Amino acid sequence: VVVYLNLHSFLFFHVLSLCLGYSPPGKPKLTSCRSPEKETFTCWWEPGSDGGLPTTYALYYRKENSDAVYECPDYHTAGENSCFFNKNDTSIWVNYNITVVATNALGSNFSDPVDVDVVYIVQPHTPENVTVTVMEDKDGPFLRVSWEPPRKADTRSGWITLIYELRVKLEGEEEWEEHRAGQQKMFNIFSLRSGGMYLVQVRCKPDHGFWSEWSSTTYIKVPDYFPRETSVWILIAVFSAFIFFILTWILNLKSNSVKHCLLPPVPGPKIKGFDKQLLKNGRSEEVFSALVVPGFPPTTSSDCEDLLVEYLEVYTPEEQELILEEGKDLQEGCLKSKGSPSDSDSGRGSCDSHTLLMEKCGEGEGKEEKHQERAQKGKRQQKHQTGWEEGDVSHTREDVLSPDMSEGRVKTWPSVFSPLPQYSSRPLDHQGSLETARHGLQLPGFRSTEYVEVQRVNQEDMVILQPLFSSSCQRDGHLQIGQGEDYSKVKGVDSGNMLLLQREVEVKREEEDGDRYSCDIQDRVTESCYTTSTAASSQVTGKPTSCAGTAMPVQEEMVLAANGYVDAATMLL
Amino acid sequence: MAHRGSQATTLYLTALYMLVSCTAVPVNDLLDRASQRSDKLHSLSTSLTHELDSHFPPIGRMIMPRPSMCHTSSLQTPTDKEQALRVSESDLLSLARSLLQAWVDPLLLLSSSANSLPHPAHNSIYRKIQELQEYSKSLGDGLDILSGKMGPSSQYISLLPFRGSNDIGQDKTSRLVNFQFLLSCFRRDSHKIDSFLKVLRCRAAKMRPEMC
């Protein structure tokens, strides 16, 4: 009956508790076990729910060799929910099977068992007595950190081997600088910031175990010092000096261009006859009066004779080739605008191609054959000529196609003169005349460098030529420059490819031109040689000039049809 | 003739003696090197067991044999610090050598079955087993030299025959379980060897306390 009553009350109690919402405890859980020195260890657990009723916890363990179950010897030393195994209860290289039980009035709950071998769960305490001192050496101050192993760990006997690690940072920084110190208990830190406040911490770990916690922070202030990294400063100074010297030298070298860049020169006046000194010193009237050049603006000629092309260069075909070979630039040069006489560079300079012509004189003969080819080419070219300018002067040079040349030296076929109307305005006709003129042209091979000057183009669009030489250039009596004998009008070119000249000519001499060209002509004349051609008619005679010095025989006949120089005097014969 | 012969012999012996004494490594250096090797040995075995654990069937943990089933458990070793520190140097060395010797054959077995182990990392495991064998061999040689210097009692080696069969099992789970069990036994034994040698090292390094 008593038993029945007990059971009944027990059941009643349970049912009542359940009705009131109580329950057996939840499952506890062993969180970790740790041994600080490989001699003792502690295990901690986490309680489950307590079911609303007061719950007690118990820890039971079994060692690997026996089946005996023991209860935790010490629940208090290590705190709440812990079990401390002292030295007597601790065996190493032995597996412990540990279980925690939670018990309350309604029941109990076992945790999952955990196997523990003490040697694998070693986690020492933090190193002790961490001291940091500032020391000096020749390079500056450094920190010496020293510490001691945690008190309990027996490193002296070699039972536990600890390795250390420390970390440093400046106050206010985020990142720590970590250093492994191995088994030593002292460490030096260099390269400190002058006047900085440093934080130092140390921790340790057994050879096969877990890291301890970081020791409490030690603060140390580095005194102010001047960084004696003199080598760096020296290097910087040398480098800067070097750069400076280089720059100075470059600047010196390029002083002109720098000056030019920074202070561009003011263009001075380039007026001929303009005296700068006079401008600086004298009065303006004087200065400007000096500018007045007699003869400019030209007032004498009223029909723009002077403004026209100064002279015509009439070549033989081969000369033209050779001249061409020389380079068209000569041609171009020759075609500079005649401009005003006051211009000292009259553009004639390039027309020192005369001298070039001289040089090529000897070669002329050899090029007969080539010339024929080119003549054909030239013909074709002529056909393609476009853009001839009307009026003034037409450029009839065989190979020159550029219409720009119309204003420059006119190198023209004498035959151009005769059919004047045709020639000047109608390229087609001109071509035709040129062609006829060229037909059957034989290379006289002579290289006459005498110029025929275009005096003007008259109303009928005729180019009026005059020789360039003046009386002063006469060397011998061969040059017969009489009145009205200096130039002749080209009447035409007959079928025999001869230049037909008119008798009546206007005597006109351009003093200036003559002066200018006289001596040139002389020069030319001395070197030139009239080469004869057999095709010439007797109407035109070669002009015996001072070219007599040449080896070329002077024949009576002279063909000047294509590119010869027209010597008016002789042709009048 | 004999006179000259004996002279030559004396000369030879003197030279040999000088050579030996000049090149002889002091004991504490030898111990230092040995404990470095044993440290490495234990680290390797620990990483091996962790690697194997990564793909271990949970049921395997249930059926894992108890550590007392290790073939070396019959060897009496100290179980706490006081006991360990009471052991003499030569005994400690002898224990270390015995344990090391006991694992020569099992390591061979592990090595041969590592390649066919049903584990994703079996290649890496195989390489590590090879390393284990190398370190084990070189440590053994070093300990032999040490024992020569430390007296006759250190020469004694307990025989711990490995009675395990020549293969580690038939089915996948039992293979894994047996492999892991062997490795766990090795891990503990390598830790013992390491501890003994480090205690020895500290005892020999009276001149250099910073070693300990």
Side-chain angles (χ1 to χ4, degrees):
Chain A
V1 173
V2 172
V3 170
Y4 176 74
L5 273 170
N6 280 342
L7 188 64
H8 197 76
S9 63
F10 178 69
L11 280 170
F12 175 72
F13 179 69
H14 267 263
V15 168
L16 191 67
S17 304
L18 279 167
C19 288
L20 290 171
Y22 296 128
S23 68
K27 192 168 175 176
K29 184 177 169 220
L30 271 165
T31 51
S32 71
C33 297
R34 286 285 183 265
S35 165
E37 74 290 80
K38 242 199 296 193
E39 297 168 48
T40 66
F41 73 106
T42 312
C43 283
W44 292 271
W45 66 84
E46 203 178 72
S49 69
D50 62 355
L53 296 166
T55 316
T56 55
Y57 297 90
L59 186 142
Y60 298 99
Y61 66 93
R62 255 181 348 159
K63 285 187 171 180
E64 87 181 29
N65 298 333
S66 71
D67 291 318
V69 178
Y70 303 96
E71 198 182 337
C72 171
D74 187 338
Y75 287 105
H76 306 290
T77 313
E80 190 87 20
N81 294 329
S82 73
C83 176
F84 176 73
F85 296 80
N86 61 14
K87 284 189 193 183
N88 297 332
D89 297 319
T90 307
S91 307
I92 53 168
W93 295 310
V94 169
N95 255 20
Y96 282 76
N97 191 300
I98 298 169
T99 321
V100 174
V101 183
T103 314
N104 69 2
L106 288 175
S108 56
N109 210 332
F110 284 79
S111 70
D112 292 329
V114 165
D115 277 319
V116 169
D117 192 332
V118 177
V119 290
Y120 299 146
I121 54 164
V122 183
Q123 185 179 26
H125 295 304
T126 69
E128 291 174 8
N129 237 349
V130 178
T131 55
V132 187
T133 51
V134 181
M135 307 194 64
E136 287 274 343
D137 77 347
K138 56 176 177 62
D139 294 321
F142 64 95
L143 292 177
R144 168 157 292 178
V145 189
S146 66
W147 55 88
E148 280 167 20
R151 211 168 309 133
K152 299 267 182 63
D154 182 8
T155 52
R156 190 56 61 87
S157 64
W159 181 242
I160 189 166
T161 310
L162 293 174
I163 57 174
Y164 301 95
E165 189 179 74
L166 66 95
R167 64 181 188 182
V168 191
K169 76 170 180 180
L170 265 173
E171 191 174 33
E173 269 181 28
E174 280 193 23
E175 296 279 317
W176 288 91
E177 189 184 308
E178 295 188 356
H179 300 278
R180 273 283 175 106
Q183 279 179 263
Q184 63 200 47
K185 300 182 189 56
M186 184 256 293
F187 197 81
N188 294 329
I189 298 171
F190 298 94
S191 298
L192 303 171
R193 187 172 305 176
S194 157
M197 173 72 90
Y198 283 91
L199 286 72
V200 181
Q201 286 183 322
V202 190
R203 70 175 180 178
C204 59
K205 167 173 118 71
D207 44 10
H208 313 285
F210 302 100
W211 282 106
S212 71
E213 297 293 328
W214 287 104
S215 69
S216 56
T217 314
T218 310
Y219 292 88
I220 183 81
K221 180 141 176 22
V222 178
D224 296 313
Y225 70 99
F226 186 71
R228 294 192 290 150
E229 300 274 351
T230 47
S231 56
V232 177
W233 291 114
I234 289 169
L235 208 67
I236 291 171
V238 167
F239 191 66
S240 316
F242 182 66
I243 297 280
F244 177 71
F245 283 128
I246 294 270
L247 282 175
T248 313
W249 179 63
I250 290 172
L251 210 68
N252 197 34
L253 227 57
K254 304 270 185 223
S255 60
N256 288 333
S257 52
V258 169
K259 262 191 262 174
H260 201 275
C261 186
L262 293 175
L263 307 164
V266 177
K270 280 193 182 165
I271 306 167
K272 197 167 165 55
F274 191 82
D275 189 356
K276 278 194 230 176
Q277 290 304 317
L278 204 56
L279 178 69
K280 285 179 197 168
N281 305 330
R283 301 191 319 232
S284 51
E285 293 98 23
E286 291 169 7
V287 172
F288 290 120
S289 64
L291 288 173
V292 176
V293 172
F296 184 82
T299 50
T300 49
S301 145
S302 58
D303 51 1
C304 310
E305 295 157 10
D306 310 74
L307 304 178
L308 292 178
V309 171
E310 287 140 355
Y311 56 88
L312 292 169
E313 280 180 10
V314 183
Y315 302 87
T316 56
E318 60 180 32
E319 287 173 22
Q320 284 189 331
E321 306 313 325
L322 294 167
I323 292 163
L324 262 183
E325 286 169 37
E326 273 291 335
K328 280 224 163 77
D329 52 346
L330 289 175
Q331 313 304 326
E332 258 86 80
C334 289
L335 296 175
K336 263 193 255 177
S337 172
K338 40 311 157 212
S340 61
S342 60
D343 190 349
S344 59
D345 54 336
S346 61
R348 246 193 70 243
S350 48
C351 282
D352 287 340
S353 59
H354 292 288
T355 47
L356 273 149
L357 292 174
M358 301 297 186
E359 287 153 25
K360 299 282 186 204
C361 187
E363 298 165 19
E365 287 176 353
K367 302 248 169 137
E368 272 192 30
E369 289 165 16
K370 252 201 230 170
H371 172 69
Q372 290 298 340
E373 265 177 15
R374 293 214 195 175
Q376 303 300 319
K377 240 199 285 178
K379 256 192 257 177
R380 268 179 260 123
Q381 282 173 346
Q382 289 287 4
K383 283 187 183 125
H384 296 115
Q385 273 177 354
T386 53
W388 285 88
E389 279 184 28
E390 295 189 10
D392 293 353
V393 292
S394 310
H395 188 93
T396 55
R397 256 202 91 210
E398 189 176 39
D399 310 25
V400 179
L401 304 175
S402 158
D404 296 338
M405 299 186 165
S406 57
E407 282 216 317
R409 310 264 143 138
V410 176
K411 300 156 180 98
T412 179
W413 302 85
S415 63
V416 164
F417 302 143
S418 51
L420 286 173
Q422 320 167 312
Y423 170 66
S424 48
S425 331
R426 292 171 295 174
L428 271 167
D429 289 350
H430 159 69
Q431 284 163 13
S433 62
L434 276 176
E435 281 181 54
T436 52
R438 216 174 285 154
H439 235 354
L441 230 188
Q442 294 173 21
L443 287 180
F446 94 101
R447 188 111 25 264
S448 167
T449 53
E450 287 180 336
Y451 284 86
V452 176
E453 222 171 59
V454 175
Q455 189 189 355
R456 67 169 193 277
V457 176
N458 66 4
Q459 297 83 345
E460 294 138 44
D461 287 85
M462 286 193 289
V463 178
I464 298 170
L465 302 174
Q466 69 178 44
L468 285 177
F469 49 86
S470 63
S471 56
S472 56
C473 267
Q474 288 174 23
R475 290 273 209 90
D476 42 34
H478 297 287
L479 279 175
Q480 294 168 26
I481 302 170
Q483 71 300 37
E485 292 172 3
D486 293 343
Y487 47 86
S488 51
K489 220 188 232 178
V490 174
K491 192 164 149 196
V493 177
D494 72 356
S495 55
N497 284 345
M498 284 187 297
L499 204 62
L500 305 170
L501 300 174
Q502 287 177 345
R503 285 199 170 258
E504 296 84 28
V505 293
E506 296 172 22
V507 181
K508 211 144 188 207
R509 281 245 317 264
E510 296 295 335
E511 282 281 345
E512 301 137 39
D513 298 332
D515 283 344
R516 211 175 327 133
Y517 302 126
S518 60
C519 297
D520 288 13
I521 291 167
Q522 206 168 6
D523 293 337
R524 283 178 244 125
V525 160
T526 52
E527 292 172 31
S528 74
C529 42
Y530 289 114
T531 58
T532 57
S533 95
T534 51
S537 71
S538 56
Q539 282 207 4
V540 176
T541 60
K543 174 193 164 187
T545 63
S546 48
C547 184
T550 64
M552 291 304 244
V554 175
Q555 291 184 10
E556 290 197 340
E557 292 162 350
M558 178 179 71
V559 171
L560 297 170
N563 51 4
Y565 288 95
V566 175
D567 182 36
T570 55
M571 287 206 283
L572 285 173
L573 299 173
Chain B
M1 260 314 185
H3 190 64
R4 236 184 294 155
S6 66
Q7 260 189 346
T9 318
T10 322
L11 204 63
Y12 173 76
L13 282 172
T14 318
L16 193 65
Y17 175 75
M18 280 172 66
L19 195 71
V20 167
S21 58
C22 283
T23 57
V25 184
V27 168
N28 51 356
D29 264 348
L30 278 172
L31 276 170
D32 189 35
R33 294 186 204 183
S35 50
Q36 281 175 24
R37 273 182 182 75
S38 63
D39 187 291
K40 180 73 181 165
L41 200 67
H42 178 71
S43 304
L44 267 173
S45 71
T46 307
S47 82
L48 257 174
T49 49
H50 286 147
E51 199 162 354
L52 211 69
D53 244 351
S54 62
H55 280 80
F56 202 71
I59 191 74
R61 289 178 230 276
M62 299 295 183
I63 62 170
M64 184 85 82
R66 300 162 100 201
S68 53
M69 303 286 285
C70 290
H71 71 288
T72 52
S73 56
S74 59
L75 190 67
Q76 291 288 340
T77 52
T79 53
D80 65 24
K81 175 182 144 187
E82 278 74 25
Q83 277 183 36
L85 292 182
R86 278 200 290 265
V87 179
S88 68
E89 287 95 27
S90 24
D91 286 343
L92 281 172
L93 189 60
S94 166
L95 282 172
R97 291 178 74 211
S98 308
L99 284 169
L100 202 59
Q101 183 63 40
W103 278 99
V104 173
D105 291 333
L107 279 179
L108 278 171
L109 175 65
L110 282 174
S111 162
S112 64
S113 45
N115 264 330
S116 52
L117 201 65
H119 193 276
H122 66 92
N123 278 327
S124 151
I125 288 167
Y126 175 70
R127 274 195 297 273
K128 285 193 177 139
I129 302 272
Q130 302 247 293
E131 266 191 88
L132 275 181
Q133 285 181 296
E134 282 168 27
Y135 276 101
S136 175
K137 171 87 172 52
S138 100
L139 181 62
D141 294 340
L143 289 182
D144 288 343
I145 294 170
L146 256 176
S147 69
K149 292 178 188 276
M150 284 176 69
S153 53
S154 57
Q155 307 273 7
Y156 177 73
I157 296 184
S158 311
L159 277 174
L160 302 159
F162 178 60
R163 281 194 208 189
S165 52
N166 272 351
D167 76 294
I168 57 167
Q170 302 302 320
D171 64 296
K172 176 184 165 191
T173 311
S174 58
R175 283 171 79 87
L176 280 172
V177 166
N178 288 335
F179 203 94
Q180 179 73 307
F181 173 67
L182 273 176
L183 276 179
S184 68
C185 289
F186 183 73
R187 184 185 177 202
R188 176 188 283 185
D189 287 342
S190 62
H191 192 277
K192 284 184 185 174
I193 295 166
D194 188 46
S195 300
F196 298 155
L197 289 176
K198 281 174 180 167
V199 169
L200 277 175
R201 175 173 72 170
C202 266
R203 282 204 208 163
K206 298 250 169 38
M207 296 298 146
R208 292 193 287 171
E210 73 271 11
M211 274 279 210
C212 304

